[in-house]
């Protein structure tokens, strides 16, 4: 019995690029990270000053 091979003539190209491999992607990730940590620290300081901490 012969085996039939099906050859695909379509080539699928993946156009997705990982943003963290670019300089702007790293900048955005660090900006978000520092913004979240800064918001927590500032929120804690405001809570301590206002007497709720």
């Amino acid at each position: 019995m012969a085996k039939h091979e099906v050859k695909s003539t379509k080539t699928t190209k993946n156009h997705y690029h990982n943003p963290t491999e670019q300089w702007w992607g790293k900048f955005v990730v660090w900006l978000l990270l520092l913004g979240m940590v800064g918001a927590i620290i500032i929120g804690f300081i405001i809570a301590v000053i206002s007497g709720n901490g």
Side-chain angles (χ1 to χ4, degrees):
M1 297 181 81
K3 292 184 180 178
H4 296 287
E5 291 186 21
V6 178
K7 293 185 179 179
S8 176
T9 58
K10 286 184 356 182
T11 58
T12 58
K13 291 185 178 179
N14 188 2
H15 294 286
Y16 173 76
H17 299 286
N18 190 358
T20 57
E21 293 175 356
Q22 306 287 331
W23 68 268
W24 57 267
K26 291 178 183 177
F27 177 75
V28 169
V29 169
W30 277 104
L31 188 68
L32 289 171
L33 186 67
L34 293 175
M36 287 187 281
V37 171
I40 292 171
I41 292 171
I42 290 173
F44 177 74
I45 291 171
I46 291 174
V48 167
I49 290 173
S50 66
N52 295 328

